[in-house]
Amino acid sequence: MQHRLGSKKIMVTGGAGFLGSHLCERLIDNGNDVLCVDNLYTGTKDNIRHLLPHARFEFMRHDVTFPLYVEVDSIYNLACPASPMSYQFDPVQTTKTSVHGAINMLGLAKRVKATIFQASTSEVYGDPEVHPQSEEYWGNVNPIGYRSCYDEGKRCAETLFFDYRRQHKLGIKVARIFNTYGPRMQHDDGRVVSNFIVQALTGKPITIFGGGEQTRSFCYVDDLIEGILKFMATDDSHTGPLNLGNPQVFSIRQLADLILEMTNSRSELVFESLPPDDPKRRQPDISRAQSLLEWTPTTTLQDGLRSTINYFENSLSGRGTRS
Ligand code: NAD
Ligand code: UDP
Ligand code: UDP
């Protein structure tokens, strides 16, 4: 990649994934050079196909559990499968990606003196006993369950980020991202928003796990990316952890009803057993992000679902769509 004087060279790991592809797009639009590093485990080239011809965009197929030597000014570390189905498929690799991946990217950041962003998760709070979850809460996580490869991997990555900060004075930004949805989610990765929309559009039964009383808050991707960029722009003293998400709460049953209504679907609801350790309630306290970043999510669930439904309608009909 030709590095132009004055432009920032930014690396995004997991850049071919759902969130990563939106982030790469915004960084390119803002005039940066972007190096997208991804092993295409859950991401796809389709997500970044529209960026590939761009002179300031470069894709590198690489697994972050192996060392990487490149010269960059800043790093966004998003590489990690994110849906329960994909992170539980090869749980040992999930922990390696979070932990070895973090060590390698932190080592790289230390060598080139780059600020590094970590995509942490609300899963560090586990099945929380405190509502809503603020950054002070240490969480309620099962260390040996099916979700542990992801939850504990991300918790260990946070530990590494803060130790590199204390030991090596590294510039770090740790964001705890709550459930985020939007165009370019994989249609078959098992997450609730993509599952329900695809089921509704194809007339298949809507699979509600448990009774559907469990709650989540859903953030539209554009709002989240805005929060991430604003966080990265704060001065070095702001390390996080910082919750990023939409505090409005819905039960899974409410989400199903809304998607059925918006798609005019006649799919029936079927109730299946709740996966082990599935958190019963989750809601971010985003007051810290609101005051630090002057940021708050502005997309309603209806508006965000409309564009996500539109995306899936196009991709299921084989037309594909970029948004
Ligand atoms: P995603 O699965 O679409 O993206 C993850 C990307 O990482 C994929 O492109 C995948 O191929 C890549 N990847 C996985 N293992 C890798 C490895 N070893 N080396 C290189 N690349 C690798 O998921 P997403 O929703 O875009 O999530 C992105 C990040 O945000 C993840 O770290 C996830 O934990 C975090 N996050 C997402 C959410 C959400 O609701 N979307 C919530 C909390 C945290
Ligand atoms: N590393 C990397 N790219 C770099 C610098 C380091 O992938 O540009 C890896 C390196 O392989 C090491 C890890 O990052 O395993 C941690 O590096 P650090 O310098 O912090 O620790 P050390 O090499 O002393 O173990
Ligand atoms: N869920 C559901 N039906 C599905 C997929 C998920 O009822 O087809 C539920 C799941 O049990 C959880 C919630 O929806 O309570 C959110 O699941 P998701 O996998 O999207 O994310 P999580 O927040 O659990 O990581």
Side-chain angles (χ1 to χ4, degrees):
M1 182 190 288
Q2 286 282 315
H3 192 29
R4 295 168 308 123
L5 279 177
S7 71
K8 286 264 273 174
K9 196 194 242 183
I10 301 179
M11 179 168 86
V12 179
T13 75
F18 159 50
L19 296 180
S21 63
H22 287 274
L23 180 61
C24 287
E25 197 172 276
R26 280 290 300 275
L27 292 168
I28 291 278
D29 287 348
N30 292 347
N32 302 289
D33 287 317
V34 172
L35 173 62
C36 167
V37 172
D38 201 299
N39 67 351
L40 302 182
Y41 182 55
T42 51
T44 68
K45 272 199 179 169
D46 280 341
N47 285 341
I48 51 167
R49 201 168 299 286
H50 60 304
L51 298 174
L52 290 172
H54 203 292
R56 282 185 277 105
F57 182 78
E58 187 179 356
F59 172 68
M60 180 192 288
R61 188 165 181 155
H62 175 81
D63 182 328
V64 295
T65 62
F66 296 98
L68 176 65
Y69 288 82
V70 290
E71 309 307 311
V72 290
D73 300 310
S74 59
I75 301 169
Y76 291 84
N77 188 38
L78 274 67
C80 187
S83 81
M85 197 183 85
S86 54
Y87 69 65
Q88 289 170 27
F89 177 73
D90 185 350
V92 173
Q93 173 67 11
T94 299
T95 303
K96 281 186 189 170
T97 293
S98 274
V99 177
H100 292 185
I103 291 172
N104 287 329
M105 295 308 106
L106 286 161
L108 168 53
K110 186 183 89 177
R111 181 180 59 78
V112 300
K113 299 184 175 53
T115 297
I116 178 166
F117 169 92
Q118 167 67 356
S120 190
T121 169
S122 53
E123 291 282 327
V124 301
Y125 301 121
D127 190 2
E129 292 153 325
V130 171
H131 294 278
Q133 293 80 53
S134 76
E135 291 86 348
E136 281 79 36
Y137 180 48
W138 289 356
N140 176 37
V141 178
N142 176 356
I144 57 165
Y146 289 101
R147 297 176 85 100
S148 312
C149 56
Y150 185 73
D151 301 9
E152 296 289 22
K154 289 284 189 179
R155 285 169 67 96
C156 184
E158 286 201 8
T159 306
L160 285 160
F161 270 70
F162 280 88
D163 280 335
Y164 267 77
R165 170 73 176 181
R166 285 184 284 260
Q167 213 171 319
H168 301 300
K169 312 277 178 283
L170 199 64
I172 62 162
K173 307 278 177 198
V174 175
R176 292 178 178 159
I177 300 169
F178 285 65
N179 298 60
T180 302
Y181 70 99
R184 299 196 204 126
M185 294 182 90
Q186 292 297 302
H187 72 277
D188 57 356
D189 80 358
R191 284 189 265 196
V192 69
V193 173
S194 44
N195 260 14
F196 285 2
I197 292 177
V198 171
Q199 288 163 346
L201 291 176
T202 55
K204 300 216 172 82
I206 307 280
T207 51
I208 297 191
F209 300 161
E213 289 94 24
Q214 70 271 36
T215 62
R216 293 292 187 275
S217 59
F218 299 100
C219 185
Y220 188 62
V221 59
D222 291 356
D223 286 332
L224 181 84
I225 301 296
E226 187 66 24
I228 291 177
L229 293 173
K230 284 192 156 190
F231 184 23
M232 199 60 158
T234 56
D235 74 50
D236 183 66
S237 63
H238 297 293
T239 58
L242 189 71
N243 288 342
L244 292 179
N246 189 322
Q248 231 198 322
V249 172
F250 295 87
S251 72
I252 294 307
R253 176 65 198 258
Q254 283 176 314
L255 179 74
D257 289 339
L258 185 57
I259 289 174
L260 281 174
E261 184 192 316
M262 291 181 69
T263 52
N264 292 318
S265 172
R266 295 166 68 178
S267 288
E268 56 170 338
L269 301 180
V270 295
F271 292 85
E272 297 184 357
S273 54
L274 197 64
D277 298 331
D278 197 278
K280 287 177 274 307
R281 294 165 72 189
R282 187 185 286 150
Q283 180 189 21
D285 175 341
I286 58 162
S287 35
R288 205 185 267 188
Q290 282 173 317
S291 64
L292 175 66
L293 311 179
E294 293 179 359
W295 166 87
T296 202
T298 55
T299 311
T300 63
L301 184 60
Q302 278 85 347
D303 286 347
L305 285 178
R306 199 164 295 115
S307 77
T308 312
I309 290 167
N310 184 38
Y311 169 81
F312 280 113
E313 270 171 348
N314 286 326
S315 59
L316 289 173
S317 71
R319 275 178 281 153
T321 180
R322 297 264 68 94
S323 61

